[in-house]
Amino acid sequence: MRRALLNPFLALIAGSVLLTACSSESDTEATSTSENSPKNTSPAVVNIYSQRKEALLKPVLEAFTQDTGIEVNLVTGNADALVQRLKSEGENSPADVLITTDAGRLYRAKREGVLQAIESETLHKRIPAHLRDRDNQWYGLSKRARVIFYNKDAVDPSEISDYQDLANPEWLGRICIRSSSNIYNQSLLASIIAHRGHEQAKAWAEGVVKNLARTPQGGDRDQLKAAAVGVCDIAVANTYYYGGWLGSDDEMDKQYAQKLAVLYPNQDDGETGAHVNVSGAGVTRHAPHRDAAIQLLEYLTGHSAQQFYANDNYEYPVVEGTPVSDLVKSWGYPFKADDLSLNKLGENNAEAVKIFDQVGWK
Ligand SMILES: [Fe+2]
């Protein structure tokens, strides 16, 4: 019997939480809480606050419910707003799991005190140490690479190989990259600070600003479009957006993708590898269904979930040995990935933001 899944939490009433499991077909699993019993301790449900859109999670959460019998409720929203919500709900929060993208954001959630440490041998075994929190509060579940794209009509790939090259004068007026307020760029610069130190990171950011084709605007897709139509010759973006175009039915998307090629930076011996980040999750501090939450995280590192991330979302698995689709392989996989601890991206975030301000990266 299929059950209705993923309905949003139904009500937050007058300071006390009324949480209703959302299946009309399974009344026995409907649970509610009152002011007298603010915690729902039923193991048959897990409540997620997610910055990731429902479409990116739905198939894998449905499979989780089918395999375990644990219902999933999903609330999606802006990452910072969800963290604020967890803080203001405090111990009355119905949420068990926070899902978000970028280690910088996961670090922030930890710092704000909305996550808790968990022990899971499975997670430790499957997820490499550099892709999870050193205090076990968050775990990377899928990997993404932030790389260089070039317009094939305007650039010969022999002209560029590393992130450092983006600051060279030959690229004057030829680069598109989004605003410094974006966490992806903050994390990229945080990684450069970690590898090359403050001074070199600042000089790099300064050089990139000089080379911009236009004032930073839009998201990663907008940078890729701009490079495809010749507003700039080079764009910096995450690879899954390009993968989405290659896998799209939309003719325009396909045409954009055809104009571009992917260049994984810093691949040579002695170099750091391409900057990688994660989407990830943590169990919330006051999770009413802690065990189910851990079970969900473990499930998301399982074989089928890892394949889903790679093949449907065009990301990369965090678990070694997970096969990826031919489409994902088509623009270069495997590649040399930076193995810097992602903890550093959070720790260096404030410094990165400061450098961006100092060099006038809008
Ligand atoms: Fe993204």
Side-chain angles (χ1 to χ4, degrees), residues 60 141 298-310 322:
V60 83
L141 298 172
E298 289 175 346
Y299 189 86
L300 293 175
T301 62
H303 195 71
S304 62
Q306 286 292 302
Q307 277 196 296
F308 167 79
Y309 280 126
T322 308

Side-chain angles (χ1 to χ4, degrees), residues 23-263:
S23 170
S24 56
E25 295 170 58
S26 62
D27 291 337
T28 52
E29 290 184 25
T31 54
S32 65
T33 57
S34 69
E35 286 169 32
N36 295 332
S37 56
K39 291 267 171 142
N40 176 351
T41 52
S42 160
V45 62
V46 60
N47 298 321
I48 303 173
Y49 283 2
S50 172
Q51 178 241 325
R52 302 209 87 183
K53 291 193 199 85
E54 181 173 337
L56 299 180
L57 294 165
K58 194 172 178 176
V60 83
L61 296 180
E62 285 182 348
F64 172 72
T65 299
Q66 254 160 21
D67 288 359
T68 64
I70 299 172
E71 296 283 343
V72 176
N73 298 311
L74 183 69
V75 165
T76 57
N78 165 283
D80 289 335
L82 291 174
V83 168
Q84 276 316 310
R85 184 165 164 180
L86 284 168
K87 279 178 84 172
S88 60
E89 288 171 346
E91 60 185 22
N92 289 319
S93 177
D96 300 299
V97 171
L98 175 70
I99 293 179
T100 187
T101 54
D102 204 287
R105 287 201 190 102
L106 291 158
Y107 175 89
R108 206 177 292 161
K110 176 190 176 188
R111 199 191 55 200
E112 294 294 322
V114 301
L115 301 177
Q116 63 169 294
I118 57 168
E119 291 304 327
S120 163
E121 211 177 297
T122 302
L123 293 177
H124 272 231
K125 222 167 43 201
R126 290 179 180 167
I127 306 173
H130 69 285
L131 302 178
R132 50 181 156 87
D133 176 43
R134 62 168 111 257
D135 300 314
N136 303 328
Q137 293 199 23
W138 57 259
Y139 294 85
L141 298 172
S142 65
K143 229 159 60 172
R144 52 264 304 281
R146 190 157 188 75
V147 305
I148 295 170
F149 293 83
Y150 61 89
N151 183 311
K152 290 188 276 190
D153 299 330
V155 175
D156 186 298
S158 68
E159 296 174 83
I160 184 159
S161 62
D162 300 333
Y163 294 108
Q164 298 92 291
D165 297 333
L166 296 171
N168 292 346
E170 67 183 282
W171 299 106
L172 187 70
R174 299 171 71 189
I175 296 175
C176 285
I177 183 167
R178 71 200 288 181
S179 147
S180 67
S181 64
N182 171 253
I183 190 89
Y184 300 162
N185 280 347
Q186 293 170 11
S187 287
L188 173 60
L189 184 56
S191 77
I192 295 173
I193 294 169
H195 287 304
R196 299 176 195 277
H198 180 92
E199 287 312 316
Q200 280 191 49
K202 189 174 171 186
W204 177 80
E206 221 158 20
V208 174
V209 168
K210 278 194 192 129
N211 289 342
L212 294 179
R214 58 177 186 183
T215 305
Q217 54 198 269
D220 275 12
R221 275 192 202 91
D222 297 300
Q223 316 312 313
L224 293 172
K225 273 182 205 168
V229 302
V231 171
C232 41
D233 297 336
I234 295 263
V236 175
N238 290 352
T239 52
Y240 52 84
Y241 294 109
Y242 177 77
W245 280 351
L246 291 178
S248 168
D249 295 328
D250 186 299
E251 264 320 300
M252 208 61 222
D253 289 351
K254 278 194 198 309
Q255 280 179 31
Y256 288 139
Q258 275 160 18
K259 283 289 188 188
L260 301 172
V262 180
L263 189 138

